[in-house]
Amino acid sequence: LIQTRHSVVSALSTSAVELLGANDVDVTAKVFVADIESELPNPERGVYVHSETKTGNNAWSALQLSDLESWYSLGVRLVFRLYYLDQYKDGELLPGSLLAGMDGDMQLLQ
């Protein structure tokens, strides 16, 4: 257990301090730390796998469970999945089969 105390008066405006009716405000934070032997994957560090597929001319490539399992074993917890929709740039509606494929990818990722 680690306890820290900080005076936050300098961070508060004078009017806020007057409203509180205090000249000094103490904040206590408690942090619990546990010993862990294994690595902790951290997607917030920006480490991710880039995966993409094209949608035109039967170029679709669905995500594969084996790829996800491999990435997971390497500590990857974040996947950037990019879909190239070039052929639909003029406003053509996305076909149901394409949407179903995207949905399948998302369900697999989940």
Side-chain angles (χ1 to χ4, degrees), residues 37-99:
E37 297 294 324
S38 62
E39 289 186 35
L40 293 175
N42 186 356
E44 288 81 16
R45 290 184 180 170
V47 179
Y48 65 91
V49 169
H50 177 98
S51 174
E52 62 185 53
T53 187
K54 297 184 178 186
T55 57
N57 301 323
N58 298 320
W60 176 264
S61 175
L63 280 174
Q64 301 298 314
L65 181 58
S66 59
D67 290 333
L68 295 177
E69 290 171 339
S70 174
W71 298 332
Y72 190 87
S73 71
L74 295 172
V76 174
R77 301 297 185 266
L78 190 61
V79 176
F80 176 86
R81 181 67 167 160
L82 177 62
Y83 299 95
Y84 289 101
L85 303 172
D86 300 357
Q87 70 188 68
Y88 305 104
K89 66 182 176 187
D90 295 326
E92 182 182 340
L93 293 177
L94 300 177
S97 59
L98 174 60
L99 296 173

